[in-house]
Amino acid sequence: MHILILGAAGMVGRKLTERLLREGRLGKQEITRMTLQDVVAPAKPANASIPVNVVASDFADAGAAAPLIAERPEVIFHLAAIVSGEAEAEFDKGYRINLDGTRYLIDAIRAVGGGYKPRLVFTSSIAVFGAPFPEKIGDEFFHTPLTSYGTQKSICELLINDYTRKGLLDGISIRLPTICVRPGKPNKAASGFFSNIIREPLAGEEAVLPVSEDVRHWHASPKSAVGFLVHAGTMDLNAMGPRRNLSMPGMSVTVGEQIASLERVAGKNVTARIKRVPDPTIISIVSGWPRDFATDRALKLGFTTAEKTFDDIIRIHIEDELGGKFAA
């Protein structure tokens, strides 16, 4: 099996690559080669037992997808995107990368012909939903995104559904919760503070909280995100019927509950590093985001999380990213 990962230099792409190389299989099939693509060259895995090709290209250029698809990968993980805050601030850039890039990709798949029909796993977002919300967003709730990012993701879901219906690819769109705790440096995502208020204090640094502690949101760990992708790449998609998009499991917690979890796991000295500085722009964006979900359909289809509590999410970060230690 040849696997192509688009956006492989990002956090989820790196972790997905590591898991696939470690296990050597996707479902029942042996992985025989991988192609890793991003706008900056992904790091080439050391000591890989199979050929791994690294490609640096602009996913949103009209000709970028064709040479990648010409290799006829059987499974394509599409993680390439710019994040919510950047897509909102840079309108044209958001549509170019988040929408046009996806359209070029699926058209490149179609152009190969000859019965080529790869599995395409697209990472969508809970931003496809917009307020007003029910107490819990179920599988039948309609899409009314209130951000450009959410609109771009929603359009891509519809395109992938239609190309799947026409038999041009075998697609699935999974709406990831906000991934927490993200390792590395802060990015331009409006949701970045959910990770920042955990990651930076654990590293001995100050973090800024731009919203009130009663803000509620939907989260899953990076480990869960990779698990969702792997399952989407191996499951029987016929069980989904014609609707090839669904929201992933997670947990709904308030910012205050996040901070309480951090205090239980790491202590008051760590939570004291969180500085409250309200940001009207972030407050406005977050007010239009989903808060809780009922993901019955995903659970019935075998998607599961790696954590049961937000304490678990923090412990996963400490173990996986900090070597089991933090700045007390």
Side-chain angles (χ1 to χ4, degrees), residues 84-158:
S84 53
E86 189 173 4
E88 195 67 18
E90 300 192 44
F91 186 80
D92 292 335
K93 183 179 180 181
Y95 273 92
R96 176 178 174 270
I97 295 175
N98 293 344
L99 177 56
D100 295 345
T102 300
R103 182 63 187 272
Y104 293 143
L105 169 67
I106 58 181
D107 279 341
I109 293 171
R110 179 185 180 187
V112 171
Y116 176 57
K117 188 179 175 182
R119 171 73 56 95
L120 174 61
V121 180
F122 173 63
T123 49
S124 188
S125 168
I126 58 175
V128 301
F129 301 108
F133 302 118
E135 183 176 344
K136 286 191 176 185
I137 296 175
D139 292 317
E140 309 305 322
F141 191 70
F142 47 82
H143 298 186
T144 52
L146 297 179
T147 63
S148 296
Y149 177 75
T151 300
Q152 293 147 14
K153 290 290 190 179
S154 186
I155 295 170
C156 290
E157 285 189 10
L158 291 171

